[in-house]
Amino acid sequence: FRELYQKTITCLYEDNEKNVWVGTRLNGLYRLSAEGKTINRFPIDALRLEGGMINFISSITELSKNEMLVGTFGEGAFIFDKQKKNFFRYTPRTKEEEKGFGYVTQIHNSGNGCYVLTNRTFYKITNDEDVVLWQNNIITAPTTFLIDNCGIIWIGSDGSGIVKLEP
């Protein structure tokens, strides 16, 4: 895939249609077709095709057949409409939540909600509400999370160790 040559790949995701979605550092979102023959580019901000933190994709997940939730490093989260091929900004439901939504480090969609880890907060997003599960005042740079089989939430960091949150 020549178009991805010399691009920094930050995350990968396979949707239910077997397309592979590729997040890049500064170049936006790409979709590799299920058969592996075509590649399409979808910059979040078409006016800034190269560079800019808005096109620094940190994480991707599928919300529904037609929607992807795309996290960025510094510009929050966006919903990508696969049919219309455009983005719109995801806005948390309260101003308090919006403050910590800039640097999205990981997104995971499970059967009971979509989990979002940012530099300040860990959220669970459902159709009805956004629930803050954890506010960060412990570690400097949360990078990843895991919800284990017992429901314990583990949050890893860049240089500050790991946090364990009991249910």
Side-chain angles (χ1 to χ4, degrees):
F1 294 99
R2 185 139 180 85
E3 186 159 348
L4 292 173
Y5 181 69
Q6 294 190 335
K7 304 283 190 282
T8 301
I9 308 303
T10 55
C11 54
L12 298 167
Y13 182 83
E14 182 183 24
D15 68 16
N16 288 327
E17 297 167 343
K18 307 277 188 238
N19 297 303
V20 174
W21 294 83
V22 181
T24 65
R25 181 177 178 242
L26 308 180
N27 299 101
L29 184 66
Y30 291 81
R31 181 185 62 212
L32 305 174
S33 65
E35 70 278 353
K37 295 183 180 180
T38 61
I39 185 168
N40 300 99
R41 181 172 182 223
F42 305 102
I44 292 177
D45 181 352
L47 299 176
R48 292 189 252 171
L49 291 176
E50 297 296 328
M53 296 307 277
I54 200 164
N55 284 310
F56 189 145
I57 309 298
S58 60
S59 50
I60 309 163
T61 196
E62 192 167 23
L63 294 175
S64 67
K65 181 180 179 196
N66 295 319
E67 291 184 333
M68 307 290 289
L69 183 61
V70 178
T72 68
F73 192 73
E75 294 289 337
F78 292 82
I79 304 286
F80 179 70
D81 185 312
K82 294 186 333 185
Q83 288 184 325
K84 295 178 183 174
K85 298 181 179 158
N86 64 3
F87 290 90
F88 60 93
R89 187 176 292 277
Y90 175 80
T91 305
R93 294 180 176 115
T94 68
K95 287 289 182 196
E96 179 184 296
E97 295 170 56
E98 199 169 328
K99 291 177 188 173
F101 218 78
Y103 294 88
V104 178
T105 58
Q106 185 180 348
I107 299 172
H108 175 72
N109 197 1
S110 70
N112 63 352
C114 186
Y115 294 89
V116 179
L117 178 65
T118 73
N119 60 320
R120 295 186 182 160
T121 313
F122 184 60
Y123 298 92
K124 179 180 179 183
I125 299 170
T126 66
N127 290 336
D128 301 323
E129 62 183 342
D130 296 354
V131 179
V132 175
L133 300 174
W134 175 70
Q135 297 225 271
N136 180 23
N137 57 7
I138 301 170
I139 56 180
T140 55
T143 55
T144 189
F145 72 89
L146 167 74
I147 302 173
D148 71 16
N149 292 328
C150 297
I152 296 170
I153 299 169
W154 301 85
I155 299 176
S157 71
D158 182 5
S160 296
I162 194 166
V163 173
K164 178 182 178 183
L165 306 173
E166 299 282 345

